[in-house]
Amino acid sequence: MRLSILGCYAATPRTLTNPTSQVLEIKGHMFLIDCGEGTQVQLRKNKIKFSRINHIFISHLHGDHFFGLPGLISTFRLLGRDKEMHIYGPKGIKEAITLLLKLGDSWTNYHLIFHELTARERTVLFEDDKVSVETIPLNHRVYTNGFLFREKPSERKLNIDAVRAHNIDKAYFRNIKKGKDVQLDDGRVIPNGMLTLDPPKPMSYAYCGDTRFKPDIVDQIIGVDILYHEATFLETEKHLCAKTKHATAKEAATIARMAKVGTLILGHYSTRYRSIDAFKVEAEEIFGNVELADDGKIFEF
């Protein structure tokens, strides 16, 4: 699993910082999560192939999370895209995008499929045999969701030495990887555990963008491997959280500790701060394994 941070700062773009956008590569999929202004430039800087993006998840309709989407959709058109594109986001996103396309007479030559969201409870948005994606209802100034990505268990791996030792024909390999035992010609049954190795542990990633401190999400994200949680403010500005409906680094760390996650990644820093180092210091008072997101940073798990 590979996470590329394209932008992770709040509000407006600056010379060296970008608003929220990230790419998650998981089980052969490349998911774009939020699409702040300048996302397509960051995609190019990070050498991410536009053609591999088929699903875009927008958490909410504040500009620093989706103003880059119209331009990206237009660029896909100019690049000759013909594959359909799925966009998941709050109700209203279809109207916003299609109005711009209409006014500019710039309809795409590929199929745009909008999945507009209104549910206040967790909802499965995407699922195949490799991964599932569901919403994490959050608490912000407008309707907002986070997203929970879970790998599905892989097939068991053949223990080639054991298979050869029992002279098992290749015709049985598919069933063996699915967990089935093998009965030999002499009647002996070889347990699957002797013929296979455990697959890698399925990974999980929870993206919790703009939100107030919301402990009731813990039940949904308990035990996830990686949690990205907004940390707009330090404790010195905690009084701003109620008005803006954002969280502090310590509050993000508290969620991580309560949910017993593997790694906490902080992001969505207010641009009022000259350095982000203090976010890690404050979070580590609550939770031990803390990483700082930053534009262009890549996490591999």
Side-chain angles (χ1 to χ4, degrees), residues 9-24:
Y9 289 80
T12 59
R14 297 184 300 174
T15 305
L16 297 176
T17 64
N18 294 274
T20 300
S21 185
Q22 52 186 248
V23 169
L24 179 68

Side-chain angles (χ1 to χ4, degrees), residues 53-116:
I53 298 172
N54 299 314
H55 300 269
I56 300 175
F57 298 87
I58 303 297
S59 62
H60 65 294
L61 296 183
H62 279 164
D64 57 334
H65 290 257
F66 92 107
F67 276 179
L69 186 56
L72 182 60
I73 288 172
S74 177
T75 295
F76 281 133
R77 170 179 170 268
L78 294 173
L79 292 175
R81 182 185 180 95
D82 55 13
K83 289 189 299 182
E84 64 186 25
M85 173 67 72
H86 293 263
I87 298 174
Y88 309 78
K91 183 175 177 58
I93 192 168
K94 180 178 181 179
E95 179 183 4
I97 298 301
T98 54
L99 177 59
L100 291 174
L101 297 177
K102 175 183 176 181
L103 293 176
D105 192 20
S106 301
W107 297 110
T108 62
N109 49 358
Y110 59 94
H111 194 191
L112 275 177
I113 302 172
F114 291 93
H115 305 261
E116 293 197 303

Side-chain angles (χ1 to χ4, degrees), residues 26-31 54-55 88 124-133 150-153:
I26 178 172
K27 283 291 184 78
H29 289 289
M30 181 176 280
F31 297 128
N54 299 314
H55 300 269
Y88 309 78
V124 175
L125 302 181
F126 172 83
E127 186 171 21
D128 63 7
D129 59 346
K130 295 181 179 180
V131 66
S132 67
V133 186
R150 290 190 184 277
E151 291 182 346
K152 293 189 176 180

Side-chain angles (χ1 to χ4, degrees), residues 138-153:
L138 299 176
N139 178 12
H140 192 42
R141 299 194 308 277
V142 296
Y143 174 76
T144 304
N145 287 300
F147 303 105
L148 177 58
F149 302 82
R150 290 190 184 277
E151 291 182 346
K152 293 189 176 180

Side-chain angles (χ1 to χ4, degrees), residues 24-289:
L24 179 68
E25 296 178 62
I26 178 172
K27 283 291 184 78
H29 289 289
M30 181 176 280
F31 297 128
L32 179 63
I33 308 169
D34 276 337
C35 190
E37 186 177 348
T39 291
Q40 59 179 314
V41 175
Q42 290 297 97
L43 286 169
R44 292 189 184 281
K45 284 184 177 179
N46 287 271
K47 295 180 171 55
I48 294 172
K49 291 185 177 180
F50 284 44
S51 61
R52 289 192 58 201
I53 298 172
N54 299 314
H55 300 269
I56 300 175
F57 298 87
I58 303 297
S59 62
H60 65 294
L61 296 183
H62 279 164
D64 57 334
H65 290 257
F66 92 107
F67 276 179
L69 186 56
L72 182 60
I73 288 172
S74 177
T75 295
F76 281 133
R77 170 179 170 268
L78 294 173
L79 292 175
R81 182 185 180 95
D82 55 13
K83 289 189 299 182
E84 64 186 25
M85 173 67 72
H86 293 263
I87 298 174
Y88 309 78
K91 183 175 177 58
I93 192 168
K94 180 178 181 179
E95 179 183 4
I97 298 301
T98 54
L99 177 59
L100 291 174
L101 297 177
K102 175 183 176 181
L103 293 176
D105 192 20
S106 301
W107 297 110
T108 62
N109 49 358
Y110 59 94
H111 194 191
L112 275 177
I113 302 172
F114 291 93
H115 305 261
E116 293 197 303
L117 311 176
T118 58
R120 299 284 176 175
E121 64 279 349
R122 65 178 74 173
T123 303
V124 175
L125 302 181
F126 172 83
E127 186 171 21
D128 63 7
D129 59 346
K130 295 181 179 180
V131 66
S132 67
V133 186
E134 63 183 54
T135 60
I136 304 172
L138 299 176
N139 178 12
H140 192 42
R141 299 194 308 277
V142 296
Y143 174 76
T144 304
N145 287 300
F147 303 105
L148 177 58
F149 302 82
R150 290 190 184 277
E151 291 182 346
K152 293 189 176 180
S154 302
E155 291 183 334
R156 297 186 63 80
K157 293 187 175 182
L158 284 176
N159 183 336
I160 295 298
D161 292 337
V163 169
R164 288 173 176 169
H166 290 91
N167 199 28
I168 295 174
D169 190 271
K170 290 182 179 180
Y172 293 97
F173 285 6
R174 185 64 179 167
N175 284 336
I176 293 172
K177 288 193 288 185
K178 288 183 177 180
K180 295 182 179 181
D181 300 333
V182 174
Q183 184 171 6
L184 302 180
D185 293 340
D186 61 9
R188 287 182 298 146
V189 175
I190 310 300
N192 185 267
M194 293 179 60
L195 302 173
T196 59
L197 304 171
D198 291 336
K201 173 184 172 292
M203 299 288 287
S204 53
Y205 174 64
Y207 170 84
C208 295
D210 295 19
T211 184
R212 283 214 69 184
F213 179 61
K214 196 170 186 285
D216 64 4
I217 68 173
V218 168
D219 287 344
Q220 185 179 1
I221 65 171
I222 196 80
V224 299
D225 295 287
I226 304 99
L227 167 65
Y228 177 96
H229 196 289
E230 79 123 281
T232 305
F233 299 116
L234 297 173
E235 288 299 297
T236 49
E237 282 70 47
K238 186 175 181 178
H239 61 282
L240 297 175
C241 290
K243 177 182 178 181
T244 62
K245 290 200 172 183
H246 284 298
T248 67
K250 277 192 174 182
E251 288 174 332
T254 300
I255 294 293
R257 185 180 66 184
M258 293 171 65
K260 300 177 182 178
V261 307
T263 300
L264 169 65
I265 302 176
L266 299 177
H268 201 266
Y269 320 107
S270 168
T271 52
R272 71 183 60 227
Y273 303 107
R274 292 186 177 182
S275 170
I276 62 175
D277 294 339
F279 287 88
K280 191 173 194 293
V281 173
E282 288 196 355
E284 285 181 335
E285 294 177 11
I286 306 295
F287 183 77
N289 194 9

